[in-house]
Amino acid sequence: MLKVTSMPGGDWSGPALCLRRWPPPSVKGCAMATGTLTINGTTYNNPNGCYNIDGGSAEITYDTDATITVYSSRDGQGDSVSRVSGGGRGTINQSPAGSVVVE
């Protein structure tokens, strides 16, 4: 479930919206994914959340217990162009690729 909250501060003409997982992982007793995620040579240990991709294509190597979803646009937006459910190990070569979301 997602909860919508307003974001304080900044020069906004109206409130900004921030989408976040609810209840927060600490409330559910969950932790970040276990393992590694490598995107175009940069490795993230115990990844969690959204990783934007520069350049429009990506080589993504994963070894994690999480679900990996590749989106065509940045910030987890656009079409879902590739998905690995339930974790595992492998490599995805994807174009277009704007972001990777780890759940």
Side-chain angles (χ1 to χ4, degrees):
M1 176 191 296
L2 294 177
K3 181 177 182 179
V4 178
T5 61
S6 63
M7 186 182 298
D11 295 328
W12 305 101
S13 59
L17 294 179
C18 178
L19 295 178
R20 62 180 172 164
R21 195 180 302 259
W22 192 261
S26 60
V27 172
K28 294 192 319 186
C30 296
M32 289 184 253
T34 301
T36 59
L37 175 70
T38 302
I39 303 171
N40 292 336
T42 301
T43 299
Y44 303 94
N45 291 310
N46 300 324
N48 191 29
C50 182
Y51 298 89
N52 286 322
I53 298 169
D54 294 323
S57 64
E59 180 177 280
I60 303 157
T61 303
Y62 57 93
D63 183 4
T64 179
D65 59 355
T67 296
I68 309 291
T69 307
V70 182
Y71 289 91
S72 59
S73 300
R74 297 175 66 80
D75 301 321
Q77 300 295 308
D79 295 327
S80 169
V81 293
S82 187
R83 183 176 176 91
V84 178
S85 297
R89 177 183 291 182
T91 300
I92 302 168
N93 290 294
Q94 183 63 52
S95 181
S99 58
V100 176
V101 175
V102 180
E103 303 175 86

